[in-house]
Amino acid sequence: MKNQFVIGVDYGTDSVRALVVNTATGEEVGTAVHYYARWKQGLYCDPASSQFRQHPLDYLEGLQNSIAGALEGLSDEVKQNIVGISVDTTGSTPVAVDQNGTPLALLPEFAENPNGMFILWKDHTANAEAEEINHLAHHWDTDFTKYVGGIYSSEWFWAKILRTLRVDETIREKAYSWVEHCDWISAVLTGNTDPIAMKRSRCAAGHKALWHQEFEGLPSEEFLTKLDPLLGGLRDRLFSETYTSDNSMGTISKEWADKLGISDKAVIGVGAFDCHMGAVGADIQPYSLCKVIGTSTCDMLVAPNEEIGHLLIRGICGQVDGSIIPGMLGMEAGQSAFGDLYAWFQKVIVGPVRDLLGQEAADKLSAELIPYLSEKASELPIKATDIVSVDWMNGRRTPDAKHTLKGGIIGLNLGSDAVKIFKSLVEATAFGARAISDRFQQEGVPIKQVIAIGGVAKKSPFVMQTLADVLNMPIKVASSDQACALGAAICASVAAGVYPDMASAQKNMASAFDATYEPRPEVVPTYEALYQRYQGIGQYIEENI
């Protein structure tokens, strides 16, 4: 039998990467990364107001350049035996589209309007709208938030739509429908972006848009119009059915097949979010907690519906049948800032250096700072009297989403230096992770193992050891540097019919593991005491600041 290949395309916050994978062996035969040009310049974003937007041209350029780069140097035989492509993206990252499914920012009159662009996952401009959704849902006959942990987030679909419709009349007049990034870019590859016809991701719809079979789809028209009359009629221009990522979105269009130089018979799979496909790539199994650790984190769990499908797990980012592995309940949690917290501290230190000593000195310091701080912090003793930080600099995602919360650093004195503060920030991210694992277990969902993927997991032994100590559980790190793209490739292989189901594909294609961090028994009790202080300080911040 001839070799068959698939492509996984992974859209992250800063870049998009493509990965070409042999379906028989899981061998990664080609890869390339494209960095978003406009995003890199900081265009259309205002961090002070938590506005983060990405231009659809960054996504289109990234799609072509990353796949072309991954295919460069591969034989014509490989290119003509590409049987499937699947895409994962950040989320919730919706965009307003016209009746053709064209993002408004691709129309001349909206080309520079941030409200016509994709609203990135970490955009928190809709905090007020999220609160309104929660208040109404909790006083409605049906609580539409019951399957998303009971709390709707400003990072999600409806809050972002409502905010945009309220603040921009021009978008309000032109927007026919709204589409998640993972759905739109997959549809682009098929050549049919009709927002009514395109297959919508079960993963995106269930976790972020309040879709559930019990509701016969999305929240009712009555609920949405009560929330705001501006939402009237939109439900009918969205979707009622959703699809898991083992389904085909369609076949690649001739235009894109020619652009990429691959077979025009390649199947395009239904998309999903990066962390969910990352869990697939990391060979997630029932009751494995898969932590995707980067700028933020997503924590993924799967379990048989018949065992825990009756539970309603409080304060997480949703429980959706088939959002990760078809046929199993997929559960999502996460932290709004993980690596972003370290990057923030880096900027605090490097910023004045840039102003005083110039760009070259700042660049040198920036490249060396975090590894230096990590090395020095790893040498410090761990004491119950140490500085304690709270990791809510970008709000709190889970447990119990609340993006208006602020972070804190407590216990400073004149002997506190950059290394000690950095150590406390790393511990804060680990304490935030502990709060998530505790919530799952308190709600009746056991955790049998912890798996980690992502840049931080691969590059920072200090962070991972701290995390293992705080969780008091071993952590296995996936060997693939590109587990999300690999997971997308696995999904593509099932959508294309190479494998009958996800389990069969994972058996042959999923990542192995190349490191395990064991908790150190001598520091676990001290971290337990520090965690209790973290909890108390967090409660004070939430109630008083």
Side-chain angles (χ1 to χ4, degrees):
M1 185 180 81
K2 66 183 179 183
N3 283 330
Q4 295 177 303
F5 299 86
V6 286
I7 299 175
V9 182
D10 170 35
Y11 279 90
T13 300
D14 303 315
S15 62
V16 55
R17 66 186 62 231
L19 185 68
V20 183
V21 182
N22 185 318
T23 62
T25 64
E27 180 188 3
E28 301 172 2
V29 299
T31 187
V33 179
H34 170 92
Y35 290 89
Y36 311 134
R38 296 159 191 80
W39 173 260
K40 195 172 184 179
Q41 297 174 54
L43 299 178
Y44 317 117
C45 298
D46 178 18
S49 65
S50 293
Q51 174 180 300
F52 296 97
R53 309 296 164 89
Q54 292 186 326
H55 202 290
L57 287 176
D58 272 344
Y59 294 163
L60 291 173
E61 292 163 5
L63 182 65
Q64 183 167 356
N65 292 341
S66 65
I67 295 180
L71 291 169
E72 188 174 350
L74 299 182
S75 68
D76 287 339
E77 182 182 1
V78 171
K79 294 175 185 177
Q80 292 310 307
N81 283 296
I82 301 290
V83 296
I85 301 175
S86 284
V87 176
D88 71 69
T89 71
T90 66
S92 180
T93 303
V95 70
V97 298
D98 67 10
Q99 204 156 349
N100 298 315
T102 302
L104 298 191
L106 292 179
L107 304 177
E109 63 268 35
F110 295 100
E112 298 298 318
N113 185 341
N115 295 321
M117 299 173 191
F118 285 87
I119 306 172
L120 192 63
W121 63 270
K122 68 178 181 177
D123 186 297
H124 293 161
T125 54
N127 283 330
E129 285 70 20
E131 287 301 314
E132 291 177 47
I133 292 169
N134 284 313
H135 179 77
L136 182 61
H138 298 161
H139 293 84
W140 200 256
D141 290 344
T142 299
D143 184 352
F144 291 109
T145 69
K146 64 193 286 189
Y147 295 108
V148 294
I151 301 176
Y152 201 74
S153 166
S154 63
E155 293 184 348
W156 299 351
F157 191 76
W158 289 110
K160 290 174 172 178
I161 291 173
L162 182 53
R163 168 72 178 173
T164 307
L165 294 177
R166 284 175 170 176
V167 302
D168 196 323
E169 184 179 354
T170 62
I171 299 292
R172 192 161 69 234
E173 292 173 350
K174 188 67 175 179
Y176 175 76
S177 189
W178 292 75
V179 180
E180 281 283 358
H181 181 194
C182 67
D183 294 331
W184 181 72
I185 206 74
S186 302
V188 164
L189 283 167
T190 70
N192 181 9
T193 57
D194 179 345
I196 303 300
M198 76 169 65
K199 292 181 180 177
R200 305 292 188 119
S201 162
R202 169 78 56 87
C203 172
H207 285 287
K208 312 302 182 186
L210 299 176
W211 181 93
H212 197 274
Q213 296 99 321
E214 181 186 318
F215 311 145
E216 296 181 353
L218 297 167
S220 67
E221 178 73 8
E222 294 76 17
F223 175 84
L224 295 172
T225 53
K226 178 68 173 178
L227 181 62
D228 195 309
L230 292 176
L231 296 173
L234 178 58
R235 187 181 192 271
D236 289 338
R237 303 193 304 274
L238 289 168
F239 54 90
S240 57
E241 298 297 322
T242 63
Y243 299 85
T244 51
S245 294
D246 55 339
N247 283 279
S248 163
M249 175 77 83
T251 304
I252 194 168
S253 69
K254 186 175 188 312
E255 176 190 1
W256 274 98
D258 290 345
K259 276 184 185 179
L260 301 174
I262 65 174
S263 167
D264 61 7
K265 295 181 175 59
V267 169
I268 307 302
V270 170
F273 290 150
D274 46 6
C275 301
H276 299 70
M277 285 191 171
V280 173
D283 201 22
I284 193 169
Q285 300 295 321
Y287 302 110
S288 298
L289 178 65
C290 181
K291 301 183 68 65
V292 187
I293 308 176
T295 53
S296 65
T297 75
C298 271
D299 293 2
M300 316 308 303
L301 261 168
V302 297
N305 281 292
E306 61 272 19
E307 294 181 13
I308 65 162
H310 63 288
L311 299 176
L312 289 176
I313 302 145
R314 295 179 303 114
I316 64 170
C317 300
Q319 51 191 84
V320 180
D321 181 13
S323 64
I324 304 170
I325 301 291
M328 288 198 187
L329 190 68
M331 293 159 280
E332 176 192 346
Q335 293 164 262
S336 290
F338 203 98
D340 259 359
L341 196 59
Y342 315 151
W344 163 77
F345 190 56
Q346 181 185 51
K347 289 176 185 175
V348 169
I349 294 175
V350 172
V353 173
R354 179 178 291 107
D355 294 341
L356 294 169
L357 302 179
Q359 188 66 43
E360 186 176 346
D363 288 346
K364 185 175 189 301
L365 177 60
S366 185
E368 298 176 5
L369 184 62
I370 297 299
Y372 167 81
L373 292 173
S374 297
E375 180 184 352
K376 294 300 181 183
S378 70
E379 298 169 358
L380 292 174
I382 300 162
K383 300 176 296 182
T385 55
D386 283 347
I387 300 167
V388 174
S389 292
V390 176
D391 57 319
W392 299 338
M393 273 59 163
N394 199 27
R396 183 180 64 209
R397 182 180 293 159
T398 50
D400 306 319
K402 194 171 184 180
H403 289 292
T404 55
L405 291 173
K406 308 299 180 186
I409 303 174
I410 306 297
L412 298 170
N413 59 37
L414 293 178
S416 303
D417 58 20
V419 174
K420 292 176 181 176
I421 294 171
F422 178 75
K423 171 178 170 288
S424 78
L425 294 174
V426 171
E427 290 167 344
T429 55
F431 294 149
R434 165 77 182 273
I436 290 169
S437 66
D438 281 0
R439 175 60 61 88
F440 275 120
Q441 294 175 91
Q442 290 159 2
E443 293 289 303
V445 183
I447 296 173
K448 295 183 178 179
Q449 69 169 346
V450 180
I451 297 168
I453 65 176
V456 173
K458 295 290 290 182
K459 296 174 185 175
S460 183
F462 170 62
V463 172
M464 296 310 297
Q465 184 61 59
T466 302
L467 188 58
D469 293 338
V470 169
L471 293 179
N472 194 21
M473 294 182 71
I475 302 175
K476 294 162 57 178
V477 179
S479 54
S480 175
D481 289 328
Q482 303 176 58
C484 294
L486 178 58
I490 291 171
C491 292
S493 74
V494 182
V498 177
Y499 290 103
D501 52 45
M502 215 72 85
S504 303
Q506 283 180 295
K507 185 176 180 180
N508 290 286
M509 297 176 65
S511 176
F513 301 94
D514 61 6
T516 301
Y517 292 89
E518 299 282 350
R520 297 172 293 177
E522 66 273 19
V523 303
V524 167
T526 307
Y527 270 134
E528 182 64 36
L530 287 168
Y531 176 63
Q532 296 306 320
R533 286 181 58 203
Y534 164 90
Q535 292 280 58
I537 294 165
Q539 183 177 350
Y540 178 83
I541 289 173
E542 189 161 1
E543 293 174 354
N544 296 281
I545 296 177

